[in-house]
């Protein structure tokens, strides 16, 4: 018998897939149960209601993104702070099922947050954490830069990354071009911090 944690993860993986494909409004508990291969009662047991599913799915996709942007082989040589910054951001622009699904679900959750105050608050917190993480990486590259400058640079980089990701996923630009634009933005932000 599967553990409760693995059942919960199975449901969250299915929720991310459904949201990525159909959007937040297309997420129905019955369809989620079918996608996850579980009963609707089990979904209600783990998440209480649809809002609970959405909140936990947001947390799940954030955790998954952190894993695929920070996991490295321990035998690989250490990265410089600049390399770590670039790698962390560019790993959000990989053509894998996991990244496509995560980025699509994130975009759908962000769009729905316009009309859902609870989701808006959760998304604002998640975005703030992401911005703070990128600001910390920028601070490793330029440790003498003021915190406000690091935060502003991180805001611009994360906002650009979201936009580039959506354009790539929707076919507006190719992934290689999105990655080039992101590298250019990283260079520009680091140059600004160096001069600032």
């Amino acid at each position: 018998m599967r553990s409760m944690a693995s059942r919960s993860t199975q449901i969250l993986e299915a929720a991310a897939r459904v949201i990525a494909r159909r959007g937040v409004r297309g997420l129905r508990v019955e369809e989620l149960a079918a996608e996850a291969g579980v009963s609707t009662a089990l979904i209600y047991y783990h998440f209480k209601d649809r809002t609970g599913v959405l909140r936990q799915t947001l947390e799940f996709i954030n955790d998954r993104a952190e894993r695929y942007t920070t996991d490295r082989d321990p035998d690989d040589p250490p990265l410089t702070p600049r390399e770590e910054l670039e790698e962390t951001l560019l790993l959000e622009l990989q053509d894998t099922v996991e990244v496509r699904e995560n980025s699509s679900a994130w975009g759908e959750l962000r769009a729905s947050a316009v009309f859902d105050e609870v989701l808006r608050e959760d998304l604002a917190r998640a975005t703030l954490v992401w911005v703070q993480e990128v600001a910390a990486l920028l601070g490793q590259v330029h440790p003498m830069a003021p915190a406000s400058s690091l935060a502003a640079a991180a805001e611009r980089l994360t906002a650009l990354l979201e936009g580039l990701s959506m354009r790539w996923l929707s076919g507006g630009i190719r992934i290689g071009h999105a990655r080039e634009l992101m590298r250019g933005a990283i260079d520009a932000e680091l140059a600004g911090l160096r001069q600032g």
Side-chain angles (χ1 to χ4, degrees), residues 40-51:
T40 56
L42 189 62
I43 292 173
Y44 287 116
Y45 172 78
H46 281 290
F47 304 101
K48 307 289 184 246
D49 56 20
R50 187 174 177 276
T51 299

Side-chain angles (χ1 to χ4, degrees), residues 8 15 23 74 87 89 109 118-119 123 125 129-130 133 137 139 141-142 159 181 192:
S8 179
E87 182 174 285
L89 293 171
L109 287 162
V118 172
L119 192 54
L123 197 64
R125 275 191 295 278
V129 168
W130 185 29
E133 289 168 355
L137 290 171
V141 179
H142 288 297
L181 291 170

Side-chain angles (χ1 to χ4, degrees), residues 1-4 6-7 10 36:
M1 185 168 239
R2 286 191 170 165
S3 73
M4 294 304 254
S6 68
R7 283 285 191 191
Q10 178 183 348

Side-chain angles (χ1 to χ4, degrees), residues 14-15 18-19 22-29 32 50 53-54 57:
V18 171
I19 291 169
R22 295 193 181 121
V24 171
R25 290 184 178 184
L27 179 69
R28 304 283 180 261
V29 174
L32 175 57
R50 187 174 177 276
V53 171
L54 291 174
T57 302

